[in-house]
Amino acid sequence: MRGLVKFVPVEYEYKQKFEHIFQFFSNGLLLIDEDGIVLEMNAQMEEILQINKNEVIGSHAVKIMDLFVNSYESNKEFIAKLMRFGEAELCTEILTFLGDLKYIYMKVSKQEDTNIYLVEIHDESEKIQMKKRLNHTESLSTIGQLAASIAHEIRNPMTSLKGFTQLLHQTTNEDGKRYLAVINEEIKRMEEILTEFLEVSKPTNNKFVSFDIKELILEVANFMAPQALMKNIELIISLTPESKFKFLGDRNLIKQVFMNSIKNAIEAMPKGGNIFITISNIGMKNVCIEIKDQGQGIEADKIDKIFDPFFTTKSEGTGLGLSHSIQVIKSHGGTIEVVSEIEVGTSFKFILPLQKEI
Ligand code: ADP
Ligand code: MG
């Protein structure tokens, strides 16, 4: 159909372009006239407020202000500021038209040379929820400490249970012996859980020493390699041999972090594969140790739980390794980054500050 050119008035084209931007803008947008009547709103605003725009356009903006879970006073203050400066912003909780609670940031500004106000709303709910979740994690670690003292108390009765099963073993018949074997297995398992638990929740009187992170990683890798090999897994280490990674910290604690990380990687690869361990500089001041596996990966909805104490997806797991690791890394001024893809693998990056050269 070449040659059939349709001429569109420029103004009309602009209006269409503007409308397109308005409709598909990533934040909620709303236009109000000087009397407070809603003139237009975009799709994102419909989604945030959970209403069809036809039910709002032509109504007074009070219909929207009524959604605010806010004091009358602060709304009044907001409007006064808007009148005075032609611009005002507000963070508030709203109950949408469907009754969902959302946390929003709102900015209203009078458009130059017109009597039209533009309302921009950004849905901050997810950010706020994330913050709440983080606080939850912190309180979980307090629970973790409480549980540690309970674990101590459980140890003693367990020792006596073990003593009595041994005595019973000498006097019981074959059936009884079989049952006792099961009981002993279970006690052994409880002991293992307790030992690991007490190990990680033990108060640390940080014994900071200066050491080379590279040597520590090689030591851990050498220690874990036979275990890995038995599961058909190879540890592949890459580093710049001449680089030095002098670090000041508790060597034992840092060692546990990497042992657990490699152990997790091995456990994620029941079919075997490679674990890539990379040590590299980030600028002059930080070192990054990456442990990357070719394992099953972590599901998206689990990834922010893996650092919670007791979170585990393994039947034999304690869920304490990573919660301990994050504590240790944080107390050394570092961070952990996780990237994971289902059936492809997981990468844990431990970023730690290097010792300052004196
Ligand atoms: P545990 O190993 O006892 O389960 P951790 O705190 O070490 O406890 O790990 C918590 C959970 O995080 C694991 O149960 C697992 O679901 C997940 N996870 C940790 N590392 C990996 C990994 N490399 N690949 C897949 N999932 C992992
Ligand atoms: Mg673990």
Side-chain angles (χ1 to χ4, degrees), residues 81-139:
K81 206 169 154 201
L82 182 61
M83 292 300 146
R84 199 157 155 222
F85 301 108
E87 194 176 293
E89 43 188 29
L90 181 72
C91 284
T92 178
E93 278 179 331
I94 60 164
L95 276 175
T96 67
F97 285 101
L98 291 183
D100 285 0
L101 186 70
K102 288 189 178 172
Y103 197 88
I104 58 149
Y105 161 79
M106 177 172 84
K107 185 175 170 190
V108 182
S109 50
K110 189 169 181 289
Q111 300 306 288
E112 240 175 85
D113 301 328
T114 66
N115 281 327
I116 289 178
Y117 291 87
L118 175 70
V119 183
E120 192 178 337
I121 290 188
H122 190 222
D123 189 353
E124 304 264 290
S125 310
E126 220 164 279
K127 218 156 76 186
I128 300 287
Q129 262 161 16
M130 185 99 92
K131 228 170 135 190
K132 282 190 182 151
R133 238 182 277 144
L134 276 179
N135 287 342
H136 173 68
T137 312
E138 271 162 24
S139 60

Side-chain angles (χ1 to χ4, degrees), residues 8-16:
V8 183
V10 174
E11 211 177 302
Y12 179 72
E13 210 181 347
Y14 264 121
K15 190 165 175 273
Q16 273 209 327

